[in-house]
Amino acid sequence: MTQALLREVNERIRGLNDDFSIFTGVMQIVCECGDPTCLQAITITPSEYEHLRSDPTWFAVIPGHAVAELEQIIATQPEYHVVQKRRAATAAQASGFNP
Ligand SMILES: [Zn+2]
């Protein structure tokens, strides 16, 4: 799965979670690392998720799942790390450009 697709999946999960988070205070999303087989769940609060979505280059991954060459860890939480896609990688991925 691509990270763009994962984002879509997580957006839909958020819609479902919205109802539950009223009671639990937390929601679950899927790890947004580059591993196509990784579908590990991350527990996150709705406000943390909103903050994460405020920048399209930010992704939540399970600690240890970040790829150093492509991503920079910009925040660490007990449950997950926030990584920022390096600009070149993001542009290349978006356009399909492959030098
Ligand atoms: Zn992962």
Side-chain angles (χ1 to χ4, degrees):
M1 249 195 257
T2 67
Q3 281 170 314
L5 185 59
L6 277 171
R7 173 119 316 166
E8 245 187 75
V9 170
N10 279 337
E11 284 296 325
R12 285 175 197 196
I13 292 173
R14 178 173 67 152
L16 299 173
N17 271 296
D18 272 349
D19 297 332
F20 296 114
S21 64
I22 295 165
F23 303 106
T24 62
V26 294
M27 52 187 276
Q28 292 208 318
I29 59 171
V30 177
C31 174
E32 297 178 320
C33 74
D35 182 347
T37 65
C38 175
L39 291 171
Q40 288 192 50
I42 294 170
T43 302
I44 189 171
T45 67
S47 62
E48 285 172 340
Y49 183 77
E50 285 301 326
H51 183 60
L52 184 70
R53 290 294 93 105
S54 67
D55 189 313
T57 64
W58 293 350
F59 295 91
V61 303
I62 298 280
H65 287 208
V67 180
E69 306 89 69
L70 301 176
E71 298 152 348
Q72 184 179 9
I73 295 170
I74 57 170
T76 58
Q77 301 286 344
E79 282 274 344
Y80 64 93
H81 288 171
V82 178
V83 299
Q84 180 168 36
K85 280 281 172 188
R86 295 187 192 280
R87 204 163 287 278
T90 306
Q93 199 175 46
S95 67
F97 178 67
N98 194 10

